[in-house]
Amino acid sequence: MALRPVQVNIKAVDHSAVGRFWAEALGWGVYDGSGATYTGPGVTNDGPGSGFVWPDPVTVCVDVIGVPEPRTTTKNRVHLDLATTSAAHQAELVARLQALGATPVDVGQGEVPWTVLADPEGNEFCVLEPREMYRDTGPIAVVVVDCADPRAMARFWGEAVDWTLHEVTDDHAAFRSAKGAGPYLEFLRTPGVKTVPDRIHLDLLPYPGDDQAAEVARLRALGATDLDVGQGDVPWTCLADPEGHEFCVLAPS
């Protein structure tokens, strides 16, 4: 049994506008899983280019879900880092993103070589300076999760998903698909604790033929807890990891 991260789920009051922003930001399109352009009731799905078929073995897509509640002022504890290939590319990307509606934000980063921005509904993300380790990730370099204990997160997520653990220290843990492609998933020791539900979370998918209920039971045994976010009767299961980060286990495709 195994699970794989397949989507970054972003909540938005205007899912269509935020979905279009992220599609333009990443150089992607919107899709319905069969390669066709799609923006449906309550959801906008972003993925790479024409002909893309979800789920892909390594691509982590963006799924923007419409919700009635606006974002609070509390900083998200999950965000995206975008990759760049040169200083010029970084500057060009930041300028393009701002033209699309992104705004600079101060999260206490100080003088750093990356740029911190927020999407049109205030969700923070970073445009990284060129880094060799992210040269082949695609537009999303990292899905970053703030946490209190990266080693504990590495233990849980190392059992939860089938990605490879590349590094773990007291301050940082990093995973990537065992295929050595696509973005990284990183847990960073960060001050503060989780106090409100995040606007951003991961969706995990079982492999074809695997049992969703068995996977959920396995995660509970590892320390995950059931989560009610008002989802009602849906085909996915909402859980939280041992530090309270929300995630969903989707039905096998």
Side-chain angles (χ1 to χ4, degrees):
M1 295 192 297
L3 292 164
R4 50 196 162 139
V6 292
Q7 292 177 165
V8 175
N9 186 300
I10 302 176
K11 294 182 175 68
V13 173
D14 188 342
H15 71 87
S16 181
V18 173
R20 287 195 304 271
F21 170 84
W22 280 104
E24 292 287 342
L26 301 171
W28 287 357
V30 291
Y31 73 101
D32 66 358
S34 64
T37 297
Y38 174 71
T39 300
V43 60
T44 299
N45 301 306
D46 297 339
S50 175
F52 175 77
V53 177
W54 185 92
D56 181 80
V58 298
T59 301
V60 177
C61 296
V62 172
D63 191 32
V64 185
I65 302 295
V67 295
E69 307 84 9
R71 183 184 182 278
T72 69
T73 57
T74 303
K75 177 183 176 292
N76 287 323
R77 291 184 70 82
V78 180
H79 73 266
L80 299 181
D81 283 352
L82 306 189
T84 63
T85 57
S86 67
H89 180 209
Q90 183 185 17
E92 290 164 3
L93 180 56
V94 168
R96 184 168 67 82
L97 292 167
Q98 289 182 281
L100 290 170
T103 53
V105 293
D106 185 349
V107 294
Q109 67 267 25
E111 292 292 328
V112 293
W114 58 88
T115 301
V116 184
L117 299 173
D119 74 12
E121 291 201 6
N123 299 301
E124 305 89 356
F125 66 97
C126 297
V127 180
L128 300 180
E129 76 284 3
R131 300 186 193 182
E132 180 62 22
M133 71 177 295
Y134 303 142
R135 62 182 171 81
D136 62 350
T137 60
I140 300 175
V142 193
V143 180
V144 181
V145 183
D146 295 346
C147 68
D149 188 344
R151 290 189 184 276
M153 290 292 94
R155 289 191 294 272
F156 174 83
W157 285 93
E159 294 289 339
V161 301
D162 66 350
W163 284 17
T164 300
L165 180 64
H166 281 253
E167 180 184 9
V168 60
T169 69
D170 289 344
D171 296 316
H172 175 253
F175 291 89
R176 197 183 192 194
S177 166
K179 296 181 181 295
Y184 287 79
L185 171 62
E186 298 184 4
F187 296 87
L188 299 182
R189 182 184 293 276
T190 308
V193 295
K194 185 172 170 58
T195 57
V196 298
D198 261 313
R199 301 288 279 187
I200 301 175
H201 69 260
L202 280 173
D203 287 342
L204 311 182
L205 182 70
Y207 283 89
D210 284 351
D211 184 84
Q212 180 189 21
E215 287 291 339
V216 169
R218 183 175 68 84
L219 293 168
R220 291 184 184 123
L222 291 171
T225 53
D226 291 293
L227 188 66
D228 185 352
V229 293
Q231 68 269 22
D233 185 13
V234 292
W236 57 87
T237 301
C238 299
L239 299 171
D241 74 12
E243 287 199 13
H245 304 107
E246 302 92 346
F247 66 95
C248 294
V249 179
L250 307 179
S253 61

